[in-house]
């Protein structure tokens, strides 16, 4: 498309105010430069620290921010922090060199923004929007122009049938909780896991609708509680968060970084062990080369 001058001129004539593009192909970044309009990155997936934090200027610390698909939490042992740091570096390396570097070739070929590489253009986005919710991630800081908006791909709402409408109306002004893990996970739940989930749900005071086809857990109950989803004034929101802190505490809202030591936070122990390992490897290689050269000398 970039080689079709007629198409490009027609697009310029339209006068777009903003270009929104998916973060996997990333072609919208180049198009925004050609049309000289800002762009917004959009992703149907959640944020990946090694791929997005660097360019969105999010604070990124491998000490307590697990890399996506690492199966780690924000509470990590020394070995897990080492694994997470290496995974972050390796994933980031492949993303930059195999996803972004080819785009640099396009920029040079088309003489687009010779003053910047593609990574810099990626960082110039007006906003980053993810079709996810921040509650699915561990507590961590984000830049103000990074937004999480879940449910973008959901269809329009439909009227409830009589049974479900009665269930919802029974909650009155208080509200309900809908719990679902998807068929792949729900079908694999053991009775013990189902009981654990049911025990947790039993602690809630809302009415609960749980999509589960297995054996009915003994502790499964339903109740009601106040619904805080309705809009609140500033004073009401202050009162809500004060009440929330009193009832539930706020430890789960605080980033794990607050509990890490200086050495752990900056991964100094991980860096130290890597330096030691690299030093030992270099020493062994140097010794092996020296022995090899000495043997070659004596054999001659």
């Amino acid at each position: 498309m970039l080689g079709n001058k007629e198409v490009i001129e027609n697009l310029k004539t339209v006068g777009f105010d903003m270009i929104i593009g998916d973060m996997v192909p990333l072609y919208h970044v180049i198009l925004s430069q050609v049309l000289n309009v800002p762009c917004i990155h959009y992703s149907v997936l959640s944020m990946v620290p090694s791929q997005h934090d660097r360019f969105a200027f999010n604070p990124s610390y491998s000490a307590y921010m697990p890399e996506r698909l690492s199966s780690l939490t924000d509470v990590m042992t020394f070995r897990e922090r080492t694994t997470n740091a290496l995974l972050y570096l390796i994933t980031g390396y492949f993303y930059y060199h195999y996803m972004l570097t080819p785009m640099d070739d396009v920029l040079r070929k088309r003489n687009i923004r010779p003053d910047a590489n593609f990574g810099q253009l990626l960082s110039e986005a007006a906003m980053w929007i993810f079709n996810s919710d921040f509650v699915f991630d561990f507590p961590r800081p984000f830049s103000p122009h990074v937004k999480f908006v879940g449910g973008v791909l959901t269809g329009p709402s439909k009227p409830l049938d009589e049974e479900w409408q009665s269930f919802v109306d029974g909650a009155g002004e208080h509200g309900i909780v809908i719990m679902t893990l998807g068929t792949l996970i729900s079908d694999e739940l053991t009775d013990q896991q189902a009981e654990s989930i049911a025990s947790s749900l039993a602690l809630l005071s809302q009415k609960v609708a749980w999509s589960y086809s297995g054996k009915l857990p003994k502790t499964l109950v339903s109740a009601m509680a106040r619904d805080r989803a309705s809009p609140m004034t500033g004073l009401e929101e202050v009162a809500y968060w004060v009440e929330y802190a009193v009832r539930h505490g706020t430890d789960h809202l605080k980033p794990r970084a607050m509990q890490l030591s200086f050495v752990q936070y900056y991964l100094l122990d991980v860096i130290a062990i890597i330096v030691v390992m690299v030093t030992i490897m270099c020493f062994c290689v140097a010794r092996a080369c020296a022995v090899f050269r000495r043997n070659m000398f004596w054999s001659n």
Side-chain angles (χ1 to χ4, degrees), residues 79 114 120 139 189 218 234 247 276 291:
R79 175 181 292 183
Q120 291 172 303
L189 287 179
K218 299 177 181 179
R247 288 189 175 187
V276 170
V291 172

Side-chain angles (χ1 to χ4, degrees), residues 25-40:
L26 293 173
Y27 297 130
H28 65 284
V29 178
I30 296 179
L31 184 60
S32 71
Q33 295 297 320
V34 173
L35 301 182
N36 195 28
V37 295
C39 70
I40 291 178

